[in-house]
């Protein structure tokens, strides 16, 4: 149990286009999901907290207009990278916190390359 | 903000060896988790261990919350244990945000 599915696993897009990444908790409900970004050989940095039915909370330095987050249900959150630029190329990972406890489970990650 | 430091940053071992990875954190925490990030980037849950000791096969972990550290033990290492190990903590505020440690890159040589 406790599976989080993230899609797509990798995506290549042109500069100026938008990319949507989906994060689903397959077998549990999660009122809270988180989005992280990871650069090569570095740790994970939290970008934003996504709560079902309310606006996302962004960490300092993260542009909310560039990284749009929608948490439509207790099992689905989406991250849209708008007007992507090469510097947005990175590994993006979502996590979902089990509604019954505070353990976090992570998706497979999405490797975004902007050309 | 809370600081989470892991040591050592890099560790290279022969297959069959044992290892101890350490996670120090600067503030009291509500939760602590250990993860293994495989070469494809997937984070695999190892332990959910805000305090006490747990064992799962060749792996075990101990968290001493009062002294603000946690240890991950890997015994009889295998090449599939290679990857980056992260500890992550959430503050005692109930918002469940995880702050990740700096990571330990483990390489097991056949």
């Amino acid at each position: 149990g406790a599976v989080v599915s993230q899609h797509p696993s990798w995506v290549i897009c042109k500069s100026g286009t938008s990319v949507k990444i989906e994060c689903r908790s397959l077998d549990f409900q999660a009122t809270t999901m988180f989005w992280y970004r990871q650069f090569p050989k570095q740790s994970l940095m939290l970008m934003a907290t996504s709560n079902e039915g309310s606006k996302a909370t962004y960490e300092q330095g993260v542009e909310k207009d560039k990284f749009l987050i929608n948490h439509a249900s207790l099992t689905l959150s989406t991250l849209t990278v708008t007007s992507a630029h090469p510097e947005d190329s990175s590994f993006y990972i979502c996590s979902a916190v089990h509604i019954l406890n505070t353990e976090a489970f992570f998706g497979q990650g999405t490797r975004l390359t902007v050309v | 903000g809370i600081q989470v430091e892991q040591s050592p940053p890099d560790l290279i071992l022969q297959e069959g060896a044992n290892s101890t990875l350490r996670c120090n954190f600067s503030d009291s925490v509500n939760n602590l988790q250990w993860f293994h990030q495989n070469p494809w980037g997937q984070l695999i849950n190892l332990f959910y261990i805000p305090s006490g000791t747990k064992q799962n096969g060749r792996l075990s972990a101990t968290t001493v919350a009062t002294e603000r550290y946690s240890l991950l033990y890997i015994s009889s290492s295998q090449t599939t244990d290679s990857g980056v190990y992260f500890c992550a903590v959430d503050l005692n505020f109930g918002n469940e945000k995880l702050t990740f440690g700096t990571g330990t890159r483990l390489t097991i040589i056949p």
Side-chain angles (χ1 to χ4, degrees), chain B:
Chain B
I2 192 169
Q3 303 294 318
V4 187
E5 297 289 334
Q6 289 184 242
S7 60
D10 292 280
L11 188 58
I12 301 173
L13 295 172
Q14 205 80 37
E15 198 168 24
N18 302 329
S19 59
T20 300
L21 281 57
R22 187 177 180 101
C23 172
N24 291 333
F25 41 96
S26 60
D27 209 338
S28 55
V29 297
N30 189 46
N31 177 25
L32 185 144
Q33 291 185 240
W34 281 97
F35 299 93
H36 174 210
Q37 187 169 39
N38 67 21
W40 298 271
Q42 172 79 59
L43 279 169
I44 298 162
N45 288 43
L46 297 178
F47 293 102
Y48 171 80
I49 187 165
S51 63
T53 297
K54 290 186 177 180
Q55 179 154 7
N56 184 3
R58 296 182 295 105
L59 274 60
S60 64
T62 295
T63 297
V64 184
T66 52
E67 297 187 23
R68 301 182 183 171
Y69 73 89
S70 183
L71 302 174
L72 176 69
Y73 306 96
I74 304 174
S75 64
S76 304
S77 300
Q78 300 174 1
T79 54
T80 51
D81 294 332
S82 295
V84 183
Y85 289 80
F86 288 105
C87 66
V89 302
D90 101 49
L91 293 172
N92 219 1
F93 299 140
N95 61 13
E96 300 155 349
K97 287 200 292 189
L98 286 179
T99 299
F100 276 75
T102 47
T104 292
R105 183 172 298 276
L106 177 65
T107 304
I108 304 298
I109 301 170

Side-chain angles (χ1 to χ4, degrees), chain A residues 4 7 23 39 72 75 99:
Chain A
V4 177
H7 177 81
C23 179
F39 290 107
T75 59
I99 201 170

